[in-house]
């Protein structure tokens, strides 16, 4: 009887603190480091309300609003970084459905399906978006023109056949079921996956040193690109592949220690090498691992040896590089695959550190996602391929555990995203409700605190503008609960004092002026009378 496989699903937010600690050992591991910041958008000064405010000639209030809108608003996270508290996983070590042997790359298909390079099983496995099994892609013995296609890489096929162990004795039925699997031409050790402009699926074969082209979704083999060699257009250990929006194919030609680029027509276009110096080898080229077209003009490449991510243009000019070997911020441990994250950032499988790292498209650190090393659900062991699916879902190939894991953002992160969107539309009252919900769920959420402080500044400025000085003071004093050292609150409170007591101050000033004028008048009258009575 065939074993029924079940996906493991968990919502970390539903666990009590005690259960989190006992089940996951580290309840805070989903929290990353603080990101870089950018200024928050301010009000439109051309609006009618502000124009009328200018016309009133309220210079002190105008200064006050300028100060609040341009100098005070705290910055926010440049990237919408998430805490991935909800996760689902599927996969075991094996050769059946929903079973894997060292899965490598992973991409999302046109209908949300998850396509996995099942490396040691010599196949591509496709899962539905709910992680249920969909189909395998293998080379069938009935493929049209298979002989002519195989002739392109016949020497490597012969070598692969010699390496294959003697088959065990099996029943006739078992042999028929595995006919396609045992056929000499197979997807030998697939690594990289990509779709070309026509929607065909490209699969790099580490064992046969070529790239298979399958018609998708039928899985029919239609072409083979390249063969083993050191010349341009040939490969030795191709790893990751990717196709640019314009159709240029990039290949991490690992053993040849180069990256090759091909035109949309399949012709060789460019090769480039990345060299570093070491004590033993001197200046030498490094083996690339992952390639990712961030845009038509920027190719991002990972080099595991020195823990680096580099970016190049199509001509092979180095644009920027990021990372050194290590475990801290800005450091990587044998990075492999790369994909596009949120807000145009890059997500990197930091494989040896068992985590995902987020950087900007210019190579600046944003955040570490320290899921933690291990076999428990929600942890990672040598992550490889990764992709962003619908609704901010991160899908990761957990190679060390032979499974696929799907991570979804926490409830607090989703609400915070909504609050940020509302503030960008200047809907601060609605945003305030969302911000307080986040702080109820996560009182120490630094981004929510920054957003709350900015909201309080906004509400305080608005109340001041409407001459609601007591209400304005309440907002500003509440800021001190979250940021006691806010340098602008004291200045604003001083302005409130002067504005609220303006009438009293003016009366006092006029009173003093009147007293001085009376004294002067008394002195003048007295002096005039003295002259009249006593003469000069």
């Amino acid at each position: 009887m065939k074993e029924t496989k079940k996906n493991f699903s968990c919502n970390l937010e539903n666990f009590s603190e005690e259960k989190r600690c006992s089940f996951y050992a580290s309840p805070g591991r989903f929290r990353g480091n603080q990101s870089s910041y950018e200024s928050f958008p301010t009000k439109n000064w051309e609006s009618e309300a502000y124009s009328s405010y200018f016309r009133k000639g309220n210079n002190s209030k105008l200064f006050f609003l300028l100060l609040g809108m341009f100098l005070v608003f705290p910055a926010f996270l440049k990237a919408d970084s998430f805490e991935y508290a909800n996760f689902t996983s599927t996969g075991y070590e094996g050769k059946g459905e929903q079973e894997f042997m060292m899965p490598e790359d992973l991409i999302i298909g046109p209908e949300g399906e998850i396509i996995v390079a099942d490396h040691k099983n010599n196949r591509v496995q496709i899962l539905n978006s709910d992680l249920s099994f969909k189909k395998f892609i293998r080379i069938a013995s009935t493929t049209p023109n298979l002989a002519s296609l195989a002739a392109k890489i016949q020497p490597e096929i012969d070598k692969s056949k010699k390496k294959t162990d003697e088959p065990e004795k099996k029943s006739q039925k078992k042999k028929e079921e595995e006919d396609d699997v045992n056929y000499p031409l197979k997807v030998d050790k697939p690594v990289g996956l990509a779709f070309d402009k026509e929607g065909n699926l490209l699969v790099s074969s580490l064992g046969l040193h070529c790239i298979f082209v399958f018609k998708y979704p039928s899985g029919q083999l239609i072409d083979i690109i390249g063969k083993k060699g050191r010349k341009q257009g040939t490969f030795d250990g191709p790893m990751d592949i990717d196709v640019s929006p314009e159709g240029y194919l990039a290949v991490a030609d690992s053993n040849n220690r180069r990256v090759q680029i091909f035109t949309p027509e399949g012709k060789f276009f460019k090769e480039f090498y990345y060299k570093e110096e070491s004590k033993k080898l001197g200046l030498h080229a490094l083996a690339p691992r992952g390639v990712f077209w961030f845009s038509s003009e920027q190719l991002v490449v990972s080099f595991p040896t020195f823990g680096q991510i580099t970016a190049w243009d199509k001509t092979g000019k180095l644009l920027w590089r990021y990372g050194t070997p290590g475990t801290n911020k800005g450091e990587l441990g044998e990075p492999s695959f790369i994909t596009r994250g949120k807000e145009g950032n890059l997500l990197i499988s930091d494989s040896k550190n068992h985590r995902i790292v987020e950087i900007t498209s210019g190579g600046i650190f944003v955040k570490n996602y320290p899921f933690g090393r291990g076999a428990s659900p929600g942890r990672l062991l040598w992550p490889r391929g990764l992709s962003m699916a619908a609704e901010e879902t991160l899908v990761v190939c957990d190679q060390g555990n032979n499974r696929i894991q799907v991570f979804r953002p926490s409830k607090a992160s989703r609400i915070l995203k909504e609050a940020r969107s509302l503030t960008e539309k200047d809907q601060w009252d609605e945003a305030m409700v969302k911000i307080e919900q986040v702080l109820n769920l996560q009182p120490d959420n630094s981004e929510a605190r920054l957003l709350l402080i900015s909201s309080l500044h906004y509400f305080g400025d608005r109340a001041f503008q409407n001459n609601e000085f007591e209400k304005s003071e309440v907002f500003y004093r509440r800021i001190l609960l979250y940021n006691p050292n806010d340098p602008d609150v004291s200045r604003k409170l001083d302005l409130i004092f002067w504005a609220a007591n303006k009438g009293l101050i003016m009366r006092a000033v006029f009173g003093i002026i009147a007293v001085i004028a009376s004294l002067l008048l008394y002195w003048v009258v007295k002096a005039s009378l003295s002259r009249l009575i006593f003469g000069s």
Side-chain angles (χ1 to χ4, degrees), residues 28 94 177 186 193 206 234 281 301 313 349 355 362 390 392 414 430 442 464 493 518-519:
E177 289 177 353
K186 58 185 178 181
L193 302 170
L206 184 65
T234 62
L281 301 176
V301 185
D313 65 13
S349 280
R355 68 187 181 189
E392 317 298 348
R414 294 194 299 270
E430 295 85 348
Q442 296 178 348
F464 184 89
L493 291 174
S518 299
L519 291 174

Side-chain angles (χ1 to χ4, degrees), residues 106-116 124-129 134-135 137 193-202 214-219 387-390:
L106 176 154
I107 60 174
I108 305 299
E111 297 181 358
E113 66 272 31
I114 301 169
I115 306 170
V116 184
V124 174
Q125 185 168 174
I126 303 177
L127 306 176
N128 293 307
S129 57
K134 186 173 184 179
K135 67 178 295 183
I137 290 183
L193 302 170
F195 283 107
D196 64 13
K197 290 184 69 176
E198 286 72 37
N200 299 315
L201 178 64
L202 277 60
F214 294 95
K215 192 172 183 61
Y216 192 83
S218 68
S387 289
M388 290 294 293

Side-chain angles (χ1 to χ4, degrees), residues 490-510:
S490 59
R491 291 198 291 270
K492 291 189 173 185
L493 291 174
D494 288 341
L495 284 173
I496 289 176
F497 172 79
W498 290 108
N501 296 283
K502 181 171 63 176
L504 178 62
I505 294 171
M506 293 301 294
R507 287 194 295 271
V509 170
F510 284 127

Side-chain angles (χ1 to χ4, degrees), residues 279-298:
K279 293 181 180 179
K280 292 184 179 180
L281 301 176
L283 187 65
H284 65 287
L286 303 182
R289 185 63 165 81
V291 291
F292 176 72
W293 284 103
F294 181 76
S295 67
S296 298
E297 300 298 330
Q298 183 169 317

Side-chain angles (χ1 to χ4, degrees), residues 228-348:
K228 186 174 183 179
R230 303 186 64 84
K231 295 180 180 179
Q232 295 175 347
T234 62
F235 310 113
D236 189 356
M239 301 296 277
D240 194 18
I241 57 176
D242 196 26
V243 178
S244 74
E246 294 178 349
Y248 284 85
L249 169 65
V251 182
D253 192 4
S254 181
N255 293 339
N256 284 327
R257 301 179 183 275
R258 65 185 177 186
V259 174
Q260 293 196 69
I261 300 177
F262 297 84
T263 66
E265 295 74 32
K267 296 181 180 179
F268 174 82
F269 174 73
K270 187 73 178 179
E271 67 178 6
F272 57 85
Y273 301 80
Y274 180 60
K275 298 182 179 181
E276 285 282 2
E277 190 169 359
S278 65
K279 293 181 180 179
K280 292 184 179 180
L281 301 176
L283 187 65
H284 65 287
L286 303 182
R289 185 63 165 81
V291 291
F292 176 72
W293 284 103
F294 181 76
S295 67
S296 298
E297 300 298 330
Q298 183 169 317
L299 177 66
V300 184
V301 185
S302 66
F303 291 92
T305 307
F306 286 94
Q308 290 192 341
I309 303 294
T310 60
W312 310 73
D313 65 13
K314 254 188 326 193
T315 65
K317 178 183 177 182
L318 181 64
L319 302 176
W320 55 261
R321 55 185 174 183
Y322 167 90
T324 56
T327 60
N328 299 318
K329 286 183 180 180
E331 298 177 341
L332 300 170
E334 298 187 17
S336 52
F337 292 92
I338 309 159
T339 193
R340 184 184 299 273
K342 288 177 53 55
E343 301 297 315
N345 288 337
L346 295 168
L347 294 176
I348 304 161

Side-chain angles (χ1 to χ4, degrees), residues 452-467:
L452 176 64
I453 290 172
S454 293
S455 301
L456 293 173
H457 273 293
Y458 174 85
F459 292 134
D461 291 352
R462 187 175 67 181
F464 184 89
Q465 180 185 359
N466 296 329
N467 296 323

